[in-house]
Amino acid sequence: MQISVIGCGYLGAVHAACMAELGHDVVGIDVDAAKVASLSRGVAPFHEPGFDELLARNVESGRLRFSTDFADLAHAQVHFIGVGTPQVQGGYAADLTYVNSAVASLLPHLNHHVDGPTLVVGKSTVPVGTAATIAETIAPTGALLVWNPEFLREGFAVQDTISPDRIVYGLPKDPESAGTAQGVLDDVYKQLIAAEIPRLTTDYATAELVKVAANSFLATKISFINAMAELCEATGADVTQLAEAIGHDDRIGKKFLRAGIGFGGGCLPKDIRAFMARAGELGVDQALTFLREVDSINDRRRDHVVNTARDGLGGTFEGKKVAVLGAAFKPDSDDMRNSPALDIAARISGEGATVVITDPAAGPKLRAARPTTHVADDAYTAAAGADVVLLLTEWKQFKELDPTRLKDAVNNPWIIDGRNALDPTTWRDAGWTYTGIGRP
């Protein structure tokens, strides 16, 4: 099929490449000329395992191209909207500027397609009620809207697009329109449907809520185990053993039960805040007040690492060197949006420490974006002369560090494992003072 994807950031670029991989003719549209030029050369503007090869292969095949001109999507029958919805300045609500701009730019090109009805498919994470408004806006053109939320995990985005654990369609109320729209989108995803990936059909509002509800649940689970870490630290209990014990209950499960410095990134923090803001607009803010505590617990874990490091260095960071292992908010990504690691590093630097950061993927981006920041090429260089080492992003490279070699580099062999990614016994046996999160 002929498909367009509006917005070629992380979500849109991956979706466009994956749709081309499924055999469709795809054009990606973005207003950022530099990004479009990079993608057109088959060069990924961000780090995502498996994406570079996928992108290059489909650009070379001719099935995938990119443009800044909306006129280049006029031939498409299906238009995916995958632009960002950041948090508004000075508030919790989602900023729909990019969504509204995408719809406005798309409208003049929503002509009836020769192969059937034109479909607009929303992928962006939006406040509930947005889809209904967009459906009304495009209705005069004859185009139909489906809300098809994304569930990408950074580091697994290609896999989650080609082989998701479920597909959700938010369809029009009118049964005939719903049937027509479902048929067109089924054609797009026919290989996924043939693979018996669960497909759920529902209304617009439910489809919009699926994404924010899922992210809110995951954020709650992370903050729950971090709250347990606070209790463990007060009692001498071990949160890693606690998590393992409760995780064997299949009603709870083991995933997302790793205590640490909390969640970050471009989704969970802003999504739960936008969810709270939208609940307030709908007059049901009390339904989501628990998310305020989820957010608060998450912030406290960052404070905890800063306070622990400061206390261990005699109550001040002045004149101290701190090595920070990690800049991305999670491993296998170079995404530094709302990164707990960078937040902690900035706070410590602000209190007078010399902070040196290293990250396998985000390091070069950080060096380019912030030339005054001390960025090292590897952990051993970053740790040279350090008074404390902070492991804040659980990259495989950091988990496999040689504690004996690293000890030879530092001024003081003390490591704070902000992700509980290391084996305490191994590091202590190598002569380190090991401090984890919620564990003895």
Side-chain angles (χ1 to χ4, degrees), residues 31 74 137 211 215 289 385 415:
V31 297
T137 302
K211 176 61 185 297
N215 276 356
T289 52
I415 189 163

Side-chain angles (χ1 to χ4, degrees), residues 37-49:
S38 177
L39 291 166
S40 297
R41 295 194 305 271
V43 178
F46 51 81
H47 176 82
E48 175 63 32

Side-chain angles (χ1 to χ4, degrees), residues 25 28 54 57 88 109 185 217 229 244 267 323 349 412 420 425 437:
D25 176 17
L54 182 76
R57 179 168 64 250
V88 295
H109 307 287
L185 198 51
F217 185 84
E244 181 179 6
C267 291
S349 178
N412 176 39
N420 286 346
T425 302
I437 302 294

Side-chain angles (χ1 to χ4, degrees), residues 14 18 48-49 152-153 155-165 197:
V14 172
C18 287
E48 175 63 32
L152 303 189
R153 299 166 296 164
F156 301 91
V158 173
Q159 172 188 326
D160 289 345
T161 304
I162 297 292
S163 183
D165 52 19
I197 292 169

Side-chain angles (χ1 to χ4, degrees), residues 218-286:
L218 296 176
T220 300
K221 198 170 181 182
I222 295 168
S223 283
F224 170 81
I225 201 62
N226 279 329
M228 294 303 100
E230 294 181 10
L231 288 170
C232 287
E233 287 168 357
T235 60
D238 189 329
V239 74
T240 60
Q241 294 178 8
L242 174 64
E244 181 179 6
I246 65 176
H248 279 289
D249 186 330
D250 61 10
R251 297 170 300 176
I252 297 172
K254 294 182 179 181
K255 291 184 177 180
F256 282 75
L257 282 182
R258 172 177 283 181
I261 58 174
F263 55 81
C267 291
L268 261 62
K270 65 108 176 165
D271 284 357
I272 66 171
R273 293 165 187 166
F275 204 10
M276 286 188 278
R278 184 57 177 148
E281 293 169 355
L282 295 170
V284 290
D285 51 301
Q286 288 187 337

Side-chain angles (χ1 to χ4, degrees), residues 292-356:
R292 294 190 182 277
E293 185 57 25
V294 167
D295 205 12
S296 177
I297 292 169
N298 194 54
D299 285 341
R300 283 207 302 273
R301 302 320 294 163
R302 304 181 186 194
D303 296 337
H304 176 72
V305 171
V306 175
N307 295 337
T308 299
R310 185 195 307 110
D311 292 346
L313 294 175
T316 181
F317 286 114
E318 290 287 346
K320 304 296 184 181
K321 180 176 178 181
V322 179
V324 172
L325 310 186
F329 84 97
K330 65 177 292 186
D332 296 317
S333 172
D334 61 358
D335 191 344
M336 294 179 283
R337 290 176 295 174
N338 204 341
S339 166
L342 281 189
D343 184 23
I344 290 168
R347 294 188 198 187
I348 292 174
S349 178
E351 292 190 31
T354 298
V355 177
V356 182

Side-chain angles (χ1 to χ4, degrees), residues 380 383-386 402-413 430 432:
Y380 300 104
D402 180 348
T404 301
R405 179 184 170 192
L406 197 67
K407 184 185 175 187
D408 291 338
V410 300
N411 177 54
N412 176 39
W432 285 80

